[in-house]
Amino acid sequence: YNVVANLDGSPYEGGGSSPVQHPIVVTAFDTLTQNIALPATGALQVTVDDENNAASPAKVTVVGFDPSPDPANTQSIFGLVNNRTGVFGDRGEDGQPYGLTTTFNVGPSGSSPIVPLEPGSYQVTVSRGPEYSIDSTPVTVVANMTQNVTAKVERVIDSSGFVSSDFHVHSINSPDAEVSHSERVLTMLGEGVDFFASTDHDIRVDFQPAINALGAAGLVGTAPGQETTTFDYGHFNAWPLVIDPAQVNGGAVDHGGAAPAGLDYPSAGNFNETPEDVIALAHAGAPGAENTVQVNHVHSFFGAQGGSGLAIDTGLTPPQSAVSGAARRLNPAVTNYFTDDMDALEIWIGDDRGQIFGNFLGENAGAWFNLLNQGIVKTGIADSDTHSRWTTQAGIPRSMVASPTDNPGGLSAIADTLSVNVNDGRVVGTNGPMVRVQAFAASTAQTGSLALGNPTTIATTDGAVDITVDIQSPTWVEFDKVEYYINSATTQVTVPNVQTGAGTVNVKKYTIEPDFEQEAGVDFTVMTVPVPGTSSSRFEATTTLSLTGLTDDIWVVVMVKGTDGTSRPLFPAQPNSIKQSTNTTLAQLTDGNLGEDGMPALAFTNPLFIDVDGGGWTPPGVQIDP
């Protein structure tokens, strides 16, 4: 054998960049001792307060390169199974994104533990999510000393009337996550999330005891939920849900369906629950009159790539599935597995640029628009789907949900109210910009918005309406474009001959293009504005699109974007997908990274509806560009 040693935050034996290997021979019934001496290391301790000089939770991101990186073990089996792990630990679910040495959370006390950190030069960035400023400090760590950093994160965004929420969250109760309950709560606090639902795979758990134990009951709210995880035809989240303490899984929905013992297979006439039945069972678990059931990562429900999905064509009215029931262990007597019984669609989840440009903008938004056009109005949701501490940031992206209270400590008690507001479409999805959209018709003096107190549908009698967009973001979240989608046509992209396990199908995706586009510096101005009561500033912009000559009812969705090469990415607070080839030194990592990939700022609103003909809002019908 070879014996090697590693201690997180400490150099390798001998101070090199790879572990020293000690060849040994072990013989039966013998004991061998190998002494290994690790060099002295340094440490970092961070203290954080807010704009009121009060202790604040936060996330600490140490930018730089690990002098003693964990070597990789890789395995590829015929190109189908590709594994990549570390010699000493994880390299995937719970490693560090490129350009980061380590990441850790500061709890409600505002003071971190002493964290071992190898001697070297780094940048320490302290953040608390996109409603707060960030504080970055260059540090040089030396052996046998603790480097102390005092940081301030200040609330700079006015999100009053909306609470930041994450409805797709995993922890140790999921078979593919290893994050304890207390660690999960700390990640939520570090990202400034106000409310989250626990949605582990096929089990219902309650995070309130962990929140209380951390002394964080006034900082974040929660509700029990569940991700019903069918093997190959979609995942479905539901919250809030009742937990049955008499059942090991808390009373979770069983997507496999009830059947006599030993007869739970199709040839015996027993099948998995259909999506319609899964959603009905999830709705039945509500503690009150209403809860929210959403289809998760909808590309894996409407699509059929990778051996999963139902190949649902949303360009048809009604949408129609193409995958046979036999391929998904579903009752073949059902001719269409699409259902519109869900309340929401998770059109954007976190991770990386592929999720933004490939899944959200390249596929999911088109399916959502097709449904809106045929009158199937379901709330668009943004979630993290976090399974890890760091590689997928908690609450990134997030759903800003209209709420009667801004106090996070009061949200657990009104989870059912938040659910109603989600189902009513009063949601903005974002990884940074806070967007408020308002529709005003002078002819009727009616104002619509996603905020409580205003309708989401207004009428105009002269075919004219003004759409006004107000945007705020911290100065580390740059944006430069506002896009308007109005009864938008989509463009069909066909992926032919996708294998489903019971034959092949053609999978139809739908892409989108804005109907109107406004650019910063041309159509609107982004101003840097000091925030009262703080030492920080924020970006603000207001712009209006005036529509005239309308003859048909419309829906309007707004997106706010930071574009590559114009706006800096969100690194390091949201570190994923930064370009590696141009970031090989600490100086390059900390130069703003303009045009070097990374996560761009992005936000979308749910639709507002304009009744033009006086008969109530009528959908325009599906519109497919040739």
Side-chain angles (χ1 to χ4, degrees):
Y1 300 90
N2 279 304
V3 175
V4 296
N6 174 68
L7 180 63
D8 285 347
S10 294
Y12 284 131
E13 181 183 19
S17 60
S18 59
V20 175
Q21 299 189 27
H22 296 275
I24 64 168
V25 176
V26 177
T27 58
F29 307 106
D30 193 10
T31 298
L32 180 69
T33 299
Q34 177 65 56
N35 293 321
I36 297 175
L38 298 180
T41 194
L44 174 68
Q45 186 172 32
V46 179
T47 303
V48 188
D49 61 18
D50 61 15
E51 67 275 11
N52 299 314
N53 297 318
S56 174
K59 179 179 73 174
V60 178
T61 302
V62 180
V63 181
F65 295 98
D66 186 353
S68 304
D70 188 354
N73 276 334
T74 59
Q75 177 193 49
S76 181
I77 304 174
F78 304 117
L80 300 175
V81 177
N82 297 287
N83 295 320
R84 180 177 173 85
T85 66
V87 172
F88 301 107
D90 291 342
R91 289 284 296 234
E93 281 295 337
D94 224 23
Q96 293 288 334
Y98 180 84
L100 306 188
T101 299
T102 190
T103 310
F104 55 91
N105 287 119
V106 176
S109 71
S111 182
S112 80
I114 296 176
V115 178
L117 186 61
E118 293 184 53
S121 296
Y122 307 95
Q123 175 181 278
V124 176
T125 296
V126 181
S127 61
R128 195 182 169 183
E131 295 181 55
Y132 291 80
S133 64
I134 62 174
D135 194 332
S136 293
T137 305
V139 299
T140 299
V141 176
V142 298
N144 297 311
M145 291 186 63
T146 297
Q147 179 73 43
N148 294 295
V149 172
T150 300
K152 183 178 289 290
V153 291
E154 299 180 308
R155 177 179 285 277
V156 294
I157 301 305
D158 176 13
S159 60
S160 56
F162 289 81
V163 292
S164 58
S165 308
D166 192 348
F167 306 126
H168 194 171
V169 175
H170 293 273
S171 71
I172 192 70
N173 300 94
S174 291
D176 54 356
E178 56 183 44
V179 185
S180 71
H181 284 199
S182 61
E183 288 173 320
R184 176 54 69 218
V185 173
L186 286 171
T187 64
M188 293 294 167
L189 296 177
E191 297 291 357
V193 176
D194 296 321
F195 178 86
F196 70 98
S198 63
T199 55
D200 283 303
H201 297 292
D202 301 311
I203 187 171
R204 299 177 185 178
V205 296
D206 185 5
F207 273 79
Q208 195 64 52
I211 292 173
N212 295 342
L214 286 168
L219 298 174
V220 65
T222 190
Q226 175 200 346
E227 182 174 30
T228 301
T229 312
T230 73
F231 293 117
D232 48 17
Y233 56 92
H235 295 180
F236 306 86
N237 267 6
W239 64 273
L241 292 171
V242 173
I243 295 177
D244 182 352
Q247 297 194 47
V248 172
N249 66 2
V253 171
D254 178 11
H255 63 82
L263 295 176
D264 55 340
Y265 45 86
S267 61
N270 295 302
F271 306 93
N272 286 355
E273 302 285 4
T274 65
E276 180 179 11
D277 291 335
V278 168
I279 293 169
L281 289 168
H283 275 140
E290 188 169 350
N291 66 357
T292 296
V293 180
Q294 70 183 40
V295 177
N296 285 348
H297 32 75
V298 296
H299 52 278
S300 64
F301 177 68
F302 293 122
Q305 291 88 341
S308 67
L310 292 167
I312 295 171
D313 186 353
T314 59
L316 299 177
T317 304
Q320 173 66 50
S321 61
V323 173
S324 68
R328 300 292 182 256
R329 200 181 173 96
L330 293 168
N331 187 345
V334 177
T335 58
N336 186 4
Y337 297 105
F338 173 77
T339 177
D340 62 3
D341 291 342
M342 76 289 285
D343 305 294
L345 299 171
E346 186 184 62
I347 59 176
W348 178 19
I349 60 174
D351 285 344
D352 53 30
R353 287 170 65 89
Q355 288 288 359
I356 289 178
F357 296 108
N359 288 332
F360 172 32
L361 298 177
E363 182 174 356
N364 297 346
W368 186 40
F369 287 178
N370 282 347
L371 296 181
L372 288 174
N373 279 334
Q374 56 185 291
I376 302 174
V377 179
K378 304 299 173 182
T379 304
I381 294 294
D383 289 324
S384 70
D385 189 15
T386 180
H387 287 67
S388 67
R389 299 168 183 86
W390 317 122
T391 52
T392 302
Q393 296 82 48
I396 306 297
R398 63 191 57 195
S399 292
M400 303 298 297
V401 180
S403 172
T405 177
D406 296 321
N407 175 22
L411 298 179
S412 296
I414 62 164
D416 54 347
T417 299
L418 296 179
S419 171
V420 169
N421 294 341
V422 167
N423 297 351
D424 286 345
R426 298 182 182 274
V427 174
V428 174
T430 184
N431 66 3
M434 177 63 199
V435 180
R436 299 177 189 266
V437 61
Q438 177 179 285
F440 176 72
S443 60
T444 59
Q446 292 182 7
T447 299
S449 76
L450 302 180
L452 298 178
N454 283 330
T456 57
T457 300
I458 65 169
T460 177
T461 57
D462 63 358
V465 66
D466 290 335
I467 310 297
T468 298
V469 183
D470 291 306
I471 310 163
Q472 292 183 3
S473 76
T475 54
W476 58 272
V477 177
E478 298 182 359
F479 60 91
D480 57 84
K481 186 176 293 186
V482 178
E483 296 178 345
Y484 302 83
Y485 297 83
I486 301 170
N487 285 8
S488 292
T490 60
T491 300
Q492 178 181 304
V493 178
T494 301
V495 182
N497 302 320
V498 174
Q499 180 59 244
T500 68
T504 61
V505 297
N506 294 334
V507 176
K508 296 178 181 178
K509 302 179 181 181
Y510 294 89
T511 61
I512 61 172
E513 291 290 338
D515 297 286
F516 298 93
E517 185 176 279
Q518 296 175 335
E519 294 185 6
V522 178
D523 304 296
F524 63 92
T525 300
V526 178
M527 299 179 294
T528 303
V529 179
V531 180
T534 77
S535 59
S536 301
S537 298
R538 68 184 176 217
F539 291 140
E540 292 185 3
T542 298
T543 184
T544 298
L545 177 69
S546 295
L547 300 173
T548 59
L550 298 174
T551 57
D552 297 309
D553 297 345
I554 62 170
W555 56 262
V556 180
V557 166
V558 175
M559 293 192 187
V560 175
K561 296 180 177 180
T563 56
D564 291 336
T566 300
S567 294
R568 294 179 299 173
L570 306 183
F571 184 90
Q574 296 176 33
N576 302 39
S577 299
I578 200 72
K579 185 179 290 185
Q580 298 184 19
S581 61
T582 57
N583 285 287
T584 59
T585 67
L586 178 60
Q588 291 174 335
L589 286 170
T590 57
D591 66 2
N593 312 108
L594 184 65
E596 296 177 341
D597 293 345
M599 302 296 280
L602 178 61
F604 72 89
T605 72
N606 270 269
L608 294 177
F609 302 91
I610 314 300
D611 174 13
V612 176
D613 59 15
W617 181 78
T618 302
V622 173
Q623 304 172 79
I624 310 298
D625 281 337

